[in-house]
Amino acid sequence: MGQLKKFYRLTNAERILLIDAGCFLVGIQVALRWVSLKRLGNWLTWRAAKTSRPHASVNASIQQILWALRAVARLAPRATCLAQSLAALSLLRGAGHAAELKIGTHKDLNGCFSAHAWVEVGDRIVLGALAQNPFIPILLWDGSDWRSPSLAPANH
């Protein structure tokens, strides 16, 4: 009941933004289980071009969008860095912010492979920042097209 009370204390714009973030995050989590990343990216690009959303998320700041996404991610079971990054990118770009999603890989000294996704606005990581980022970007998405970064090491 405490979460519901907090929800009703929010402004209408904050509630709409939370609902928007929740729908994006859950929808993307489900889609990642059934379709390829490329197809999901193409759908999100198409949706952004065809949809005009005349409510709060369109005018939201970067901080407001990240607040909403982090709040719903705490409640979403197994909200991966990829699902959160895709949702963040879609919401940020929909609000007019020039964001970019990066997917990087890392192989540790024991040969264990890992991957991580994060979102940048300009040269600043706004979602998915790590204290030490050993991940080398291998795939970038600016909301319209997937591409490979240059082979030069990133400064993360």
Side-chain angles (χ1 to χ4, degrees):
M1 192 69 169
Q3 297 291 351
L4 198 53
K5 277 185 179 180
K6 285 181 187 178
F7 181 76
Y8 282 110
R9 278 191 238 139
L10 299 173
T11 65
N12 283 339
E14 290 169 331
R15 277 185 249 159
I16 290 168
L17 188 55
L18 272 174
I19 291 167
D20 220 14
C23 290
F24 263 100
L25 183 58
V26 171
I28 287 169
Q29 283 182 281
V30 170
L32 283 170
R33 295 185 181 273
W34 296 99
V35 299
S36 70
L37 185 57
K38 182 172 177 49
R39 182 167 286 177
L40 177 57
N42 290 342
W43 181 82
L44 289 170
T45 300
W46 172 84
R47 185 191 177 284
K50 298 290 182 198
T51 305
S52 112
R53 295 181 298 163
H55 49 74
S57 60
V58 172
N59 297 317
S61 71
I62 293 170
Q63 293 77 18
Q64 290 169 321
I65 290 169
L66 296 175
W67 162 80
L69 192 57
R70 288 181 178 123
V72 298
R74 285 192 299 269
L75 302 173
R78 296 181 291 281
T80 65
C81 61
L82 181 58
Q84 289 180 55
S85 293
L86 285 164
L89 184 76
S90 296
L91 290 166
L92 287 166
R93 300 221 26 116
H97 304 289
E100 183 175 69
L101 181 143
K102 294 188 177 184
I103 298 174
T105 60
H106 173 69
K107 190 174 183 182
D108 69 15
L109 296 174
N110 297 323
C112 293
F113 175 82
S114 57
H116 183 58
W118 63 95
V119 176
E120 293 182 4
V121 175
D123 289 335
R124 189 177 63 130
I125 298 174
V126 296
L127 183 79
L130 303 172
Q132 292 184 337
N133 188 356
F135 296 94
I136 306 295
I138 60 166
L139 195 58
L140 310 174
W141 188 45
D142 63 5
S144 62
D145 196 18
W146 292 100
R147 67 186 196 291
S148 296
S150 65
L151 296 178
N155 294 334
H156 294 113

